[in-house]
Amino acid sequence: MTSPQSVVLTILHTSDIHGHLYPTDYRGPGDKPLGLAKLATLIRRERSQTASLLLLDNGDFLQGTPLMYHYAKFDRSGVHPAARALNALRYDAVVLGNHEFNYGLDLLDQAISDSNCPWLSATITRTTDGQPAYGQPYRIFTPVAGIRIAVLGITTPYIPNWEEPAHIEGLSFEDALEATARWVAHIRANENPDAVVVCYHGGFERDPATGAPTEPLTGENQGYAICERLAGDIDVLLTGHQHRLLAGEVNGVVIAQPGSAGQAMARVELEFEPRPEGGWTLRRKGARLLMAEEADTADEEFLSLFVDDEQRTQHWLDQPIGRTEGDLSIPDPFIARQADHAFTEFVNRVQMAVTGAELSCAAIFTNEARGFGDRITMRDVVSNYIYPNTLKVVRLSGRDIREALEQNARYFEKDESSGGLRVSDAYLEPKPQHFNYDMWEGIDYVLDISKPVGQRVVKLERGGIPLEPDDHFTVVMNSYRAGGGGNFDMLKNKPVMREIPTDMTEILADFIRESEVVQAGCDHNWKVIY
């Protein structure tokens, strides 16, 4: 219960909006329980009911919807849509996420300069002098009664494993745990804060409830280690990146993570009590999630800022660019991942055609992917290929390829209740990772899920001849996978034979336009058995 003399501060925290301003996923009609316009309704409600409020975003704002893609690739007029959103809702600070770099530094610099609030990151520095590359590492806020709130921005250092080198030229990425420890010590020693809030575009490498490891300790996510090492030094850890819905406490540190695409927002409450000698003591703290579905309607005043952008985007999405002959639809993505399918064969064939690579691998990114119908529009392309990946051709050995296929085979588990297959928990927790299961073209292979993990590739041939460990091939894949993303360490640091700097969505669209008619084909070069 709040004492008469205490002061309560509310922190609202969004993360991984991924360009979702409207309550839509752009795949079809209908109002969805997501998007910043829905959260804007909740933000305005909170402002009307709360005397003291900080509004923070935790990154991955600039990429993820056709609206943001269209602006980045074809428009760039006026204030960046992300900055318009941040300014309209009066955000106090934003942390840089890994996807902020997807469209290059020029667009990122524009979004930052267009924003009225600071962008923070203590872990992203200039290679030349080691100084923070974007504004400042932290900001001190005094929202009420002289109470000093330190907000430290931290970004996952794993970005060089995913991003195009040209998009991060001149930048260095520091370990999140070490940077947080150093900067928190600096803040405690020099700023006399009443509370320290760490906004971390990264997640948890361990289960927040049990501490059990949930992923390889690569340094991509270090939230649990931060709570362990800095318990007592930080008060709140606001996280993101993993798209999880979390609110609770780890080692006395209040934690929150509000999913993605504007499906939720974290609400943190800090209660301060005055000390007799002056100053404040943090007496109580807690976090909960506010779901977008709690908003009856999207904020129309907010959406009015993006009407022209949305109209241009919708017109672009509905442009017909080609048609199909044969079946390129995906009625069930799970079934399509169990044997060669016409749609993935098409994507792989396009990748091989534009690069000249001998082999190719590609994924069905989400369970919402539905392939192509008789008529293909840009909406179909961006709905199926949702990431702004470019292509790389790397030189792999037969040993590398076998290891990559064994990693793919971990996607499946035997479902003992039905006798069939299911997606393994490792690919569902802490978030669905269907994008980390690849299907290959140019080789013939069989994955047997009844075999032990690591021994599931029971056939691996090319032209009827088994692949030897020391054979070498050129393989085209997306830039994320070529960097080892998705626990494909065997693909990291391989010789790059060729790079295609064009987004894969543009490559697919151009191929379809030039072909006019896409013929469905499938050579049935691989399958999964159990």
Side-chain angles (χ1 to χ4, degrees):
M1 184 173 180
T2 303
S3 70
Q5 298 168 324
S6 66
V7 173
V8 175
L9 170 67
T10 299
I11 300 174
L12 299 181
H13 161 237
T14 58
S15 189
D16 297 87
I17 295 296
H18 283 290
H20 286 82
L21 306 178
Y22 281 76
T24 178
D25 58 11
Y26 289 91
R27 296 186 178 94
D31 190 277
K32 305 291 193 302
L34 53 81
L36 192 56
K38 287 284 183 77
L39 298 185
T41 298
L42 302 181
I43 291 169
R44 295 192 194 280
R45 182 191 73 187
E46 290 292 323
R47 287 195 188 279
S48 70
Q49 298 174 353
T50 306
S52 305
L53 186 145
L54 286 177
L55 178 59
L56 308 172
D57 183 79
N58 217 18
D60 278 7
F61 206 127
L62 305 188
Q63 173 275 338
T65 57
L67 186 151
M68 289 297 188
Y69 180 90
H70 185 266
Y71 181 86
K73 292 294 183 178
F74 304 109
D75 193 345
R76 297 209 180 188
S77 61
V79 174
H80 193 291
R84 268 179 268 160
L86 296 168
N87 297 343
L89 297 177
R90 292 183 285 143
Y91 271 81
D92 292 289
V94 188
V95 174
L96 278 84
N98 54 292
H99 282 286
E100 258 64 78
F101 297 92
N102 286 169
Y103 297 123
L105 293 178
D106 286 346
L107 192 71
L108 173 55
D109 289 340
Q110 179 198 339
I112 292 173
S113 64
D114 285 345
S115 302
N116 295 335
C117 63
W119 289 63
L120 309 176
S121 182
T123 50
I124 303 175
T125 59
R126 294 190 297 262
T127 304
T128 52
D129 58 11
Q131 294 301 305
Y134 293 97
Q136 56 201 96
Y138 67 91
R139 174 67 68 95
I140 301 294
F141 295 96
T142 54
V144 59
I147 294 173
R148 293 173 62 80
I149 307 295
V151 177
L152 173 66
I154 298 291
T155 305
T156 177
Y158 219 59
I159 292 172
N161 292 286
W162 307 312
E163 193 54 71
E164 285 295 307
H167 292 175
I168 53 175
E169 188 174 358
L171 300 178
S172 296
F173 299 86
E174 187 178 351
D175 180 83
L177 176 59
E178 297 305 321
T180 303
R182 189 177 75 256
W183 281 104
V184 167
H186 171 86
I187 291 168
R188 287 290 183 188
N190 296 281
E191 299 289 1
N192 192 30
D194 296 299
V196 174
V197 176
V198 177
C199 272
Y200 170 42
H201 189 84
F204 290 92
E205 74 283 23
R206 296 179 179 273
D207 186 306
T210 67
T214 55
E215 61 180 57
L217 300 180
T218 62
E220 177 182 351
N221 298 299
Q222 296 173 288
Y224 197 89
I226 290 172
C227 290
E228 275 192 319
R229 180 164 166 182
L230 299 177
D233 293 321
I234 67 174
D235 301 293
V236 179
L237 178 65
L238 303 176
T239 64
H241 186 55
Q242 291 175 313
H243 300 182
R244 301 172 71 179
L245 293 168
L246 299 172
E249 194 171 294
V250 174
N251 292 333
V253 179
V254 166
I255 65 161
Q257 190 173 142
S260 66
Q263 68 184 125
M265 172 172 62
R267 185 185 191 277
V268 176
E269 195 168 272
L270 305 178
E271 183 182 350
F272 297 89
E273 192 172 70
R275 293 194 296 263
E277 70 275 16
W280 300 88
T281 297
L282 181 56
R283 176 175 175 267
R284 179 180 59 84
K285 56 186 178 179
R288 62 187 178 91
L289 297 180
L290 305 177
M291 305 304 295
E293 60 194 18
E294 297 177 32
D296 294 332
T297 59
D299 188 312
E300 291 299 331
E301 180 181 347
F302 175 79
L303 286 179
S304 69
L305 302 172
F306 313 102
V307 171
D308 291 342
D309 305 80
E310 181 70 0
Q311 287 178 346
R312 288 192 291 267
T313 301
Q314 293 291 349
H315 175 73
W316 172 70
L317 285 172
D318 288 330
Q319 294 177 20
I321 58 175
R323 60 186 180 86
T324 63
E325 288 187 356
D327 188 2
L328 281 160
S329 66
I330 307 176
D332 186 334
F334 184 64
I335 293 176
R337 295 186 184 106
Q338 296 179 44
D340 195 21
H341 186 278
F343 181 81
T344 50
E345 173 128 346
F346 165 71
V347 174
N348 275 317
R349 291 293 181 188
V350 171
Q351 292 185 171
M352 295 164 76
V354 299
T355 63
E358 298 170 280
L359 314 179
S360 175
C361 62
I364 297 174
F365 290 128
T366 74
N367 278 349
E368 286 69 47
R370 289 295 176 263
F372 297 151
D374 295 338
R375 173 178 170 271
I376 308 174
T377 65
M378 277 304 304
R379 190 183 304 278
D380 297 320
V381 175
V382 300
S383 294
N384 285 280
Y385 208 103
I386 61 175
Y387 298 112
N389 290 325
T390 56
L391 296 178
K392 287 189 177 183
V393 178
V394 296
R395 189 167 184 262
L396 299 181
S397 69
R399 182 181 297 102
D400 298 327
I401 294 169
R402 180 176 289 275
E403 289 180 10
L405 290 173
E406 289 289 358
Q407 177 62 33
N408 281 325
R410 292 172 179 264
Y411 178 80
F412 296 104
E413 289 179 353
K414 285 290 295 292
D415 187 335
E416 300 303 333
S417 61
S418 69
L421 292 178
R422 62 182 294 270
V423 180
S424 66
D425 291 340
Y427 278 78
L428 295 175
E429 299 294 340
K431 68 175 181 180
Q433 298 177 54
H434 306 297
F435 53 85
N436 282 330
Y437 172 77
D438 293 327
M439 291 151 280
W440 287 62
E441 191 60 40
I443 52 176
D444 300 291
Y445 64 94
V446 175
L447 307 180
D448 186 348
I449 309 307
S450 69
K451 302 291 186 182
V453 169
Q455 302 174 35
R456 292 176 168 178
V457 179
V458 295
K459 176 183 177 182
L460 179 55
E461 299 177 351
R462 177 171 167 81
I465 300 173
L467 263 65
E468 297 296 333
D470 293 327
D471 291 343
H472 283 85
F473 305 91
T474 55
V475 186
V476 57
M477 61 190 68
N478 67 55
S479 49
Y480 171 77
R481 187 69 77 240
N487 300 320
F488 284 82
D489 288 346
M490 75 294 296
L491 305 181
K492 289 174 61 175
N493 302 318
K494 297 302 180 183
V496 177
M497 313 305 292
R498 187 180 180 191
E499 297 186 46
I500 306 295
T502 307
D503 273 5
M504 187 56 185
T505 47
E506 292 184 47
I507 291 173
L508 288 170
D510 288 345
F511 187 93
I512 294 165
R513 285 192 187 97
E514 292 172 8
S515 302
E516 296 185 357
V517 178
V518 175
Q519 301 281 349
C522 187
D523 61 4
H524 305 287
N525 65 299
W526 67 271
K527 63 181 178 180
V528 175
I529 62 175
Y530 53 92

